[in-house]
Amino acid sequence: MISIQNQIVLITGASSGIGAACAKIFARGGAKLILAARRIDKLDRLAKELVETGLTASANQIYLLELDVRDRPKVESAVNTLPEAWKAIDILINNAGLSRGLDKLHEGNFQDWEEMIDTNVKGLLYMTRYIVPGMVNRGRGHIVNIGSIAGRETYPKGNVYCASKAAVKAISEGLKQDLLGTPVRVTQIEPGLVETEFSNVRFHGDAEKAKNVYQGLTPLTGDDVADVVYFCATRSPHVNISEILLVPTDQATATLVHRK
C-alpha cells in the first residue's frame, strides 16, 4: 500500500455525490485536493466542511476550480494556469458525468444527447489529454475513470447514456494500452445503482421519479464508490487495478434488481 500524503489529486464533478465522497476520503489520507465543478458555491461549502471536520490540515491543502469539463478552451486554460505548487497532478479522478432523460432513441431529446456526450465522453477526454502528458514526463500518475454498469450492457431507453459509458470503458482500455511502458496507471470503476443526485439530474429535477429508482432496495452510496477508488489508488506501484464492477447486493445486472 502506498501513501497518498501530499499527493495532488484532481477530482472533477467534486461538488456532490461520488466526487465529494472522493474528496473526503483522499483528504483523510493527507492528499492535496484540486476540486473542480461547475457549482463553485457547493465547492466552497465542501472545502469548509473538510477543514471544519479536520479531514484536511488546512485550507491550503485545497484548490478550487470552477470548471465545466465540456468547455475545451477553459479546460486547457485551467490546467495550464494552475499555480506552480499545484501543477504536478498525481491522480486524476474523471468523475464528472451525468444522464439526461429516459427516452426511446427515436424519441430522444437532442439537447440531452449532447449534454451526455459532451460531459461523459468529451469532457473526460479533454481532462485526460491536458493532464496525462505531465504524468508521463514526471514518471508517475494514476487516472481513475468513473464509468458505469451501463457501459457493459444496455437497457431499454438508456441508449445514449449507455453508449457514453461504453465509450468510457473503451477509452480507459485504450489509454492503458497507450501508457504501457510508463509507470502511469489507469483504472475504470463501473458502479451500479448509487444514490446520489444522478437520478434527479436524469429526470430534470423530478424528485418523485428519482426516488422511485431506489425504492425497495439498498443502493450504493457515494462513500462506497469513493472507498473503492481510494483502494485502487493506494495499491503498490507495480499493481494496476484496471477495472472494477461495483454493484449493490440487491443488483445483479443493469436491469435485474431485487426490490422488497
Side-chain angles (χ1 to χ4, degrees):
M1 180 169 170
I2 61 173
S3 168
I4 57 146
Q5 185 81 31
N6 291 322
Q7 286 199 33
I8 298 174
V9 181
L10 191 158
I11 306 167
T12 65
S15 59
S16 65
I18 294 168
C22 284
K24 290 172 186 173
I25 196 168
F26 278 90
R28 196 179 294 121
K32 295 171 68 178
L33 302 175
I34 302 175
L35 304 179
R38 291 177 293 178
R39 299 175 293 186
I40 193 71
D41 56 325
K42 289 208 164 192
L43 289 181
D44 276 325
R45 283 201 291 275
L46 175 60
K48 282 176 188 154
E49 182 189 342
L50 293 174
V51 174
E52 285 167 6
T53 56
L55 286 177
T56 191
S58 78
N60 294 332
Q61 292 285 101
I62 305 168
Y63 185 86
L64 301 184
L65 212 50
E66 184 176 4
L67 183 64
D68 186 339
V69 298
R70 297 175 297 178
D71 190 328
R72 189 189 65 75
K74 285 192 178 165
V75 171
E76 181 180 24
S77 172
V79 173
N80 290 343
T81 59
L82 283 170
E84 206 55 45
W86 291 92
K87 282 186 185 292
I89 294 162
D90 297 288
I91 300 170
L92 167 62
I93 302 174
N94 277 317
N95 166 70
L98 50 79
S99 178
R100 285 288 196 192
L102 196 63
D103 303 302
K104 293 181 178 180
L105 186 67
H106 60 283
E107 297 168 350
N109 179 291
F110 290 109
Q111 182 59 44
D112 286 351
W113 292 358
E114 285 167 10
E115 200 170 353
M116 286 186 279
I117 291 166
D118 287 350
T119 306
N120 300 356
V121 184
K122 290 163 76 175
L124 180 145
L125 285 170
Y126 297 155
M127 295 301 300
T128 303
R129 178 63 181 84
Y130 287 118
I131 289 171
V132 172
M135 293 180 171
V136 173
N137 290 338
R138 289 186 296 274
R140 69 177 192 276
H142 194 163
I143 305 97
V144 181
N145 293 330
I146 305 299
S148 170
I149 191 173
R152 299 168 68 98
E153 51 180 312
T154 54
Y155 52 82
K157 301 181 182 178
N159 41 73
V160 175
Y161 176 69
C162 294
S164 73
K165 288 302 186 177
V168 172
K169 180 175 169 63
I171 290 164
S172 302
E173 291 172 357
L175 180 62
K176 175 61 185 143
Q177 292 168 16
D178 292 339
L179 289 170
L180 197 60
T182 79
V184 181
R185 303 190 289 183
V186 182
T187 296
Q188 188 205 182
I189 311 290
E190 300 164 310
L193 287 165
V194 187
E195 190 163 13
T196 61
E197 292 180 357
F198 176 87
S199 289
N200 207 45
V201 170
R202 162 169 264 174
F203 296 120
H204 298 276
D206 188 327
E208 197 56 41
K209 263 191 182 179
K211 191 178 167 189
N212 288 339
V213 174
Y214 311 107
Q215 200 96 41
L217 61 90
T218 304
L220 300 172
T221 65
D223 290 333
D224 294 327
V225 182
D227 188 44
V228 172
V229 172
Y230 190 81
F231 175 82
C232 293
T234 52
R235 294 311 89 201
S236 183
H238 74 283
V239 176
N240 188 104
I241 298 178
S242 296
E243 185 178 12
I244 289 183
L245 173 63
L246 177 68
V247 295
T249 306
D250 287 332
Q251 182 176 20
T253 70
T255 54
L256 189 57
V257 174
H258 173 69
R259 298 182 191 272
K260 297 175 184 69

